Amino acid sequence: MIEMKEKKFLTVAPFECAWRKDLKFREAGRGCVAFEAFAHNDVTLVFRENVGSQHYHYKRDNSPHYTIILGSHRNKRLKIEVDGKTVVDVAGVGLCCSSAFQSYWISIYDGLISIGKGRYPFQNLVFQWLDSNPNCSVRYIGLSSWDKHVGYRNVNVLPLTHNHISLWKHVDCGEVEGEEDGEEELKDEFMGYANWGLENFLESWELSDMVFIIGTEERPVPAHKAILVASGNWPLSSSEDVVRLHDVTYPVLHALLQYIYTGQTQIPESQLGPLRALGLHFEVIPLVKQCEETMERFKLNKKLFDSGKSVVLSYPSNRPHCCATFPSGLPVNVQKLKQLLLTGKYSDVNINIEGHGLVAQPHKIVLSLWSFPFAKMFTNGMSETMSSEVSLRDVLPEAFKAMLEFMYSGELDMEAIMGSGSLLLQLLLLSDQFGVTLLHQECCKTLLECLSEDSVCPILEVVTSIPSCKLIEEMCQRKFAMHFDYCTTASIDFVLLDETIFSNIIQHPDLTVTSEEKVLNAILMWGLKAKELYGWEMVDELIITSAPKQLFGERLQSVQDLLPFVRFPLLPHALLKKLEKSSISRHIYNFDNLVKEAIYCVEYRLARPEDGQNVRFQHRRSSYKELQYICDGDSYGVLYFAGTSYGKHQWVNPVLSKRITVTASSPPSRYTDPKVLVSRTYQGTSFAGPRIEDGHKCAWWAVDIGEEHQLMCNYYTLRQDGSRAFMRSWNLQGSLDGKTWTNLRGHENEQTVCKAGQFASWPVVGPNALLPFRFFRVILTSPTTDVTNPWNFCICFLELYGYFH
């Protein structure tokens, strides 16, 4: 399910710079960053080879770098600096906005710096500059400021190749490849259609459903009811197709229709009065106002016009960059247009979807303005040209209706789209199928903005089949690779990915993982199309009773091809020996060879990670920090680590520094103190009192390690307080949202804790130890040994261990 997460933004204080390790170009010297910014002035981005510090400032940087400043000199200039020296200082009025977030993009390609404004990268170019001595090592991106705070959000780093630039500039959604003449003709026709607008239907018999009869000569002029009704108040009926205008000349009607269909018209000054009268009659109010204003100026100063010359009237558009997109830039009332879709009034086509019947009654003219396939369907002599019935199959009705709403408004209803699960992906498929280019771009941009570890697999399953989504596909693969642990443990959606995509992820240069065992487990689960999470041990058991061909089916060869990408020499020697004796080794020859080779290399130290260039001996980057249990009360746990601000300074109680939050089943009190649970000082009395949950009595202590953090817990420690209320049955649980809990380890009639002040620790094993969680709690499930207050959960210390992200 795709979820639109709350749009969090980063605020950069004056003279500071924010660096994130994921904000970097895939290829040094080449990349594009798209982002939104909110500022009075000086939206500043720094590009350098390495990550800088928080208090880094480009004015004090002696290393090679590029600095790009949007809205310098009180939001009046655009500046580019190279190594601190200004090389570009040009007018750039109003580049920043302090009332709303604005979208920008900046690309660097071997010294060619391109800067643009808008949602879509590589479009709406503002400025370009070529460095004669290019810095091809820049890779990391810093988000900076000058003398005022700057807000940033939706920052995305995109790969930059000429192919990607082409994809964003011409998201064709239906490009036809091939060398056949017919295919080339269709491609040329499609490219011609890209320049279509409502003006192509001005006085055209194509798709017209009414006709004006003009003057005494009874000249016929075709038109389209839906367009006219949305632009004014026309006395039309669904059954009447002819409107007679005896007292109107053709030039005046032509000017009126031209204004409606194109947004502008040209007419002799002497015809302004009749045009105003006709516009007033049909209540085309924008035209009436412009006629009146023009006539008033003419009265005040006749020198403005030369008698006999034409006057140009243009509809004022508030979206100049979208003037070619229906209905913006035209005197068409969007609300009236949407009402026509809602009621089906003046509809000339019924859309039926197999299994759902009639789902919409739109208008052929509107569908044809947006969609080349629909335009061909309605105009090239197909059955739909003469019929009012269109039947579709394998189409989700909700997605088709959302596409229609976009066609009638020119805007995407983000609240409705993002609140409907996978509707955005279905909409992307439909926009590609029917060639609705702008909708396709909107879907692509939105997918990038809401791309997360949870959504990456569903998105990959869809975009793989769409040639024009290669950029998103590559971004998803990189996102998956950089969060490999999470993506292969939080769910098993990845087993549905096709071989090419999964292979690209396994071989991705940015693959980030805590251990090579995780890579091995993921390959085996993918090969089995696993329906639940497990490791190689479960596969080892399954392979005893089933041959590899039965287990892996058609993916057996793919698994054998992927196994060499596991860096077996980096696995612990003890684990390698287990793998050597496993049933997998006995049944899969390739696996056995790789394990034996790794053991030989480790035992004879034939290669070390620091030796040579063989990637099999090079450790991958890890997005998780390993915090492993050493002994009871040690300083190596997650909660202690949080108290040091994650390794930055001396320990401070993390509850007081607000790094973590501790809660209990009973309200805070003298003996129910959240900060005691993570303190380094022994507390004689500390307990969480009982409460009723789901009809059952319980008591618990819970820890929230923070919105930006997760832990795959593999060990935990408790300490009994000074009482003799010893616990016997309880669970350690984890949760992503603090509401739905997963058992990590259960204890039934546990006798370990039997002394006041005693420490006790337990490992967390099994598939759930591989799952990352934000919330953890220990919950008492049966009374303690205390007779007086048997449901008081009496512990004064808790620590968690594992892989921290």
Side-chain angles (χ1 to χ4, degrees):
M1 179 179 289
I2 310 300
E3 296 180 357
M4 175 61 83
K5 296 187 175 180
E6 180 184 354
K7 288 190 175 180
K8 303 173 190 172
F9 58 87
L10 170 69
T11 301
V12 179
F15 308 108
E16 291 196 357
C17 191
W19 300 89
R20 284 180 11 206
K21 291 185 178 180
D22 61 322
L23 291 185
K24 72 168 187 175
F25 295 156
R26 178 186 304 174
E27 183 180 3
R30 296 180 178 181
C32 176
V33 56
F35 61 97
E36 294 179 38
F38 175 101
H40 290 276
N41 52 266
D42 292 86
V43 173
T44 306
L45 277 81
V46 183
F47 300 83
R48 64 199 306 266
E49 184 176 0
N50 299 303
V51 174
S53 67
Q54 176 186 354
H55 299 290
Y56 160 94
H57 202 267
Y58 58 91
K59 290 294 185 183
R60 300 190 296 270
D61 191 355
N62 296 320
S63 63
H65 67 281
Y66 289 124
T67 303
I68 298 170
I69 308 169
L70 308 176
S72 178
H73 293 76
R74 298 182 182 272
N75 201 20
K76 295 178 181 178
R77 311 289 292 176
L78 185 154
K79 290 179 65 176
I80 299 178
E81 296 182 0
V82 177
D83 305 337
K85 296 180 180 178
T86 300
V87 293
V88 171
D89 188 351
V90 298
V93 178
L95 283 174
C96 300
C97 179
S98 60
S99 60
F101 276 93
Q102 296 275 19
S103 298
Y104 308 89
W105 57 267
I106 298 172
S107 73
I108 298 179
Y109 191 94
D110 295 344
L112 176 63
I113 297 177
S114 304
I115 303 165
K117 192 174 181 180
R119 283 173 57 85
Y120 305 114
F122 317 119
Q123 299 186 19
N124 296 330
L125 182 68
V126 172
F127 188 80
Q128 270 189 326
W129 175 76
L130 179 62
D131 188 356
S132 58
N133 184 25
N135 180 353
C136 294
S137 64
V138 294
R139 196 166 189 182
Y140 287 92
I141 304 161
L143 308 175
S144 190
S145 61
W146 182 238
D147 60 338
K148 290 183 174 64
H149 288 79
V150 178
Y152 295 91
R153 75 179 185 190
N154 290 332
V155 185
N156 290 296
V157 180
L158 313 173
L160 188 61
T161 65
H162 287 303
N163 180 48
H164 287 129
I165 295 173
S166 174
L167 285 173
W168 275 104
K169 282 187 176 178
H170 309 289
V171 183
D172 49 34
C173 312
E175 182 175 349
V176 180
E177 298 180 359
E179 300 178 358
E180 299 294 329
D181 293 340
E183 291 179 333
E184 288 296 324
E185 181 181 346
L186 181 60
K187 183 176 179 180
D188 293 340
E189 195 171 354
F190 182 90
M191 296 309 293
Y193 173 79
N195 299 316
W196 268 28
L198 190 56
E199 64 269 19
N200 295 90
F201 293 93
L202 174 63
E203 298 183 21
S204 169
W205 290 99
E206 291 279 17
L207 307 180
S208 63
D209 53 1
M210 65 162 294
V211 63
F212 291 101
I213 303 298
I214 304 301
T216 55
E217 71 275 19
E218 295 191 345
R219 177 172 180 172
V221 178
H224 307 82
K225 291 180 183 178
I227 303 302
L228 297 183
V229 169
S231 63
N233 186 13
W234 299 73
L236 303 174
S237 67
S238 299
S239 57
E240 189 174 348
D241 300 333
V242 178
V243 176
R244 297 182 179 274
L245 300 174
H246 298 293
D247 300 327
V248 177
T249 61
Y250 169 72
V252 173
L253 178 65
H254 173 76
L256 175 63
L257 295 178
Q258 187 179 44
Y259 184 83
I260 293 171
Y261 278 68
T262 69
Q264 66 176 20
T265 190
Q266 190 170 297
I267 193 169
E269 175 268 326
S270 60
Q271 297 291 320
L272 278 174
L275 179 58
R276 175 192 171 278
L278 187 61
L280 189 61
H281 178 69
F282 292 120
E283 297 183 21
V284 185
I285 302 304
L287 177 61
V288 173
K289 288 183 177 180
Q290 284 194 278
C291 286
E292 290 174 347
E293 291 171 0
T294 305
M295 293 166 69
E296 188 64 28
R297 287 201 305 271
F298 178 75
K299 289 178 183 178
L300 293 174
N301 187 356
K302 291 192 176 184
K303 292 182 180 180
L304 289 174
F305 303 102
D306 293 328
S307 181
K309 285 199 172 183
S310 296
V311 177
V312 176
L313 304 174
S314 297
Y315 176 70
S317 171
N318 60 353
R319 296 172 66 186
H321 295 298
C322 305
C323 57
T325 303
F326 179 82
S328 64
L330 301 173
V332 174
N333 187 305
V334 173
Q335 293 305 318
K336 287 185 176 181
L337 204 59
K338 291 169 71 175
Q339 190 64 23
L340 290 178
L341 174 64
L342 185 64
T343 62
K345 195 172 184 180
Y346 306 119
S347 169
D348 53 359
V349 61
N350 296 324
I351 304 294
N352 299 279
I353 295 179
E354 188 177 281
H356 300 276
L358 180 66
V359 297
Q361 293 179 297
H363 306 83
K364 290 182 179 180
I365 178 69
V366 177
L367 300 188
S368 298
L369 283 170
W370 285 98
S371 167
F372 177 61
F374 273 126
K376 293 292 291 181
M377 185 187 299
F378 297 141
T379 60
N380 71 349
M382 295 174 65
S383 60
E384 291 83 2
T385 303
M386 304 304 297
S387 171
S388 61
E389 300 293 327
V390 172
S391 297
L392 304 174
R393 58 188 305 178
D394 300 326
V395 172
L396 187 69
E398 291 79 6
F400 191 83
K401 290 177 182 177
M403 183 176 74
L404 285 180
E405 289 175 7
F406 179 85
M407 289 176 163
Y408 277 73
S409 67
E411 296 179 349
L412 198 58
D413 185 350
M414 293 306 305
E415 185 175 348
I417 297 301
M418 301 314 299
S420 302
S422 61
L423 189 57
L424 180 62
L425 291 175
Q426 295 296 327
L427 203 52
L428 176 66
L429 284 172
L430 274 185
S431 65
D432 179 71
Q433 179 181 346
F434 292 104
V436 187
T437 304
L438 186 59
L439 176 58
H440 187 271
Q441 290 182 331
E442 287 285 341
C443 290
C444 288
K445 179 66 175 174
T446 304
L447 281 175
L448 282 177
E449 289 175 357
C450 68
L451 183 62
S452 69
E453 298 89 338
D454 294 307
S455 64
V456 64
C457 284
I459 293 175
L460 269 173
E461 288 177 50
V462 172
V463 301
T464 304
S465 62
I466 305 177
S468 53
C469 287
K470 288 299 178 187
L471 176 62
I472 294 180
E473 181 182 315
E474 292 185 15
M475 292 291 291
C476 287
Q477 290 178 18
R478 183 171 185 263
K479 188 80 170 180
F480 190 117
M482 292 183 69
H483 299 86
F484 191 85
D485 284 302
Y486 184 91
C487 292
T488 56
T489 54
S491 79
I492 56 169
D493 290 345
F494 73 95
V495 304
L496 302 176
L497 299 177
D498 67 34
E499 178 185 354
T500 302
I501 295 296
F502 187 68
S503 178
N504 289 344
I505 293 169
I506 293 296
Q507 300 177 62
H508 202 285
D510 291 329
L511 182 64
T512 303
V513 68
T514 52
S515 75
E516 291 302 310
E517 187 178 2
K518 298 288 182 64
V519 182
L520 173 61
N521 288 340
I523 291 173
L524 294 175
M525 279 196 293
W526 176 85
L528 287 172
K529 296 182 182 178
K531 295 183 179 179
E532 58 181 319
L533 185 69
Y534 46 71
W536 66 267
E537 299 95 333
M538 177 63 73
V539 181
D540 194 46
E541 293 179 15
L542 294 173
I543 212 167
I544 295 174
T545 55
S546 301
K549 185 63 179 175
Q550 291 177 294
L551 278 179
F552 296 104
E554 74 279 3
R555 288 188 174 182
L556 177 59
Q557 185 57 52
S558 300
V559 169
Q560 292 179 332
D561 294 339
L562 290 171
L563 283 173
F565 296 108
V566 180
R567 300 178 183 181
F568 284 98
L570 301 183
L571 289 171
H573 183 262
L575 177 58
L576 286 171
K577 297 299 284 185
K578 284 184 180 179
L579 293 173
E580 183 185 29
K581 298 175 182 177
S582 69
S583 299
I584 303 176
S585 283
R586 288 196 297 274
H587 288 84
I588 301 179
Y589 178 75
N590 187 27
F591 182 90
D592 185 52
N593 279 347
L594 290 167
V595 171
K596 282 184 166 61
E597 180 188 34
I599 292 173
Y600 185 78
C601 291
V602 170
E603 291 181 345
Y604 291 92
R605 299 183 179 273
L606 295 183
R608 301 300 300 164
E610 62 270 16
D611 297 335
Q613 298 300 314
N614 192 334
V615 295
R616 291 191 303 139
F617 297 94
Q618 296 176 7
H619 284 280
R620 306 182 203 262
R621 291 183 303 138
S622 174
S623 60
Y624 286 78
K625 181 176 180 63
E626 188 174 7
L627 298 169
Q628 296 298 352
Y629 168 82
I630 302 297
C631 63
D632 294 341
D634 63 25
S635 301
Y636 299 101
V638 172
L639 305 185
Y640 184 90
F641 187 54
T644 65
S645 291
Y646 314 111
K648 293 180 181 178
H649 57 60
Q650 292 296 315
W651 183 86
V652 175
N653 190 300
V655 170
L656 295 177
S657 61
K658 298 183 178 180
R659 298 291 178 181
I660 66 170
T661 303
V662 176
T663 54
S665 52
S666 57
S669 67
R670 178 182 177 185
Y671 297 118
T672 306
D673 188 348
K675 64 180 181 291
V676 166
L677 199 71
V678 293
S679 71
R680 314 302 292 175
T681 305
Y682 171 69
Q683 184 81 6
T685 303
S686 173
F687 63 83
R691 67 187 300 172
I692 302 297
E693 289 185 358
D694 298 327
H696 300 282
K697 185 177 283 190
C698 64
W700 48 258
W701 287 97
V703 177
D704 174 4
I705 61 175
E707 187 175 8
E708 302 297 328
H709 301 115
Q710 291 178 331
L711 171 69
M712 291 189 288
C713 182
N714 60 20
Y715 229 95
Y716 79 107
T717 297
L718 296 177
R719 187 178 191 183
Q720 177 75 27
D721 73 353
S723 72
R724 299 186 63 80
F726 304 129
M727 52 198 173
R728 290 294 177 251
S729 297
W730 74 96
N731 293 330
L732 173 69
Q733 298 177 326
S735 173
L736 288 170
D737 57 8
K739 299 176 183 177
T740 304
W741 295 91
T742 300
N743 283 334
L744 301 180
R745 175 161 184 144
H747 299 265
E748 291 292 335
N749 196 28
E750 176 76 58
Q751 303 292 320
T752 303
V753 179
C754 55
K755 295 180 181 178
Q758 178 186 344
F759 280 103
S761 301
W762 297 270
V764 178
V765 296
N768 289 347
L770 303 174
L771 297 177
F773 295 108
R774 169 186 167 181
F775 300 89
F776 295 86
R777 74 175 182 179
V778 280
I779 179 170
L780 196 64
T781 57
S782 71
T784 66
T785 58
D786 184 59
V787 177
T788 307
N789 296 297
W791 282 97
N792 280 355
F793 195 1
C794 302
I795 60 173
C796 62
F797 179 80
L798 172 67
E799 185 58 277
L800 305 168
Y801 303 86
Y803 294 101
F804 179 71
H805 176 59

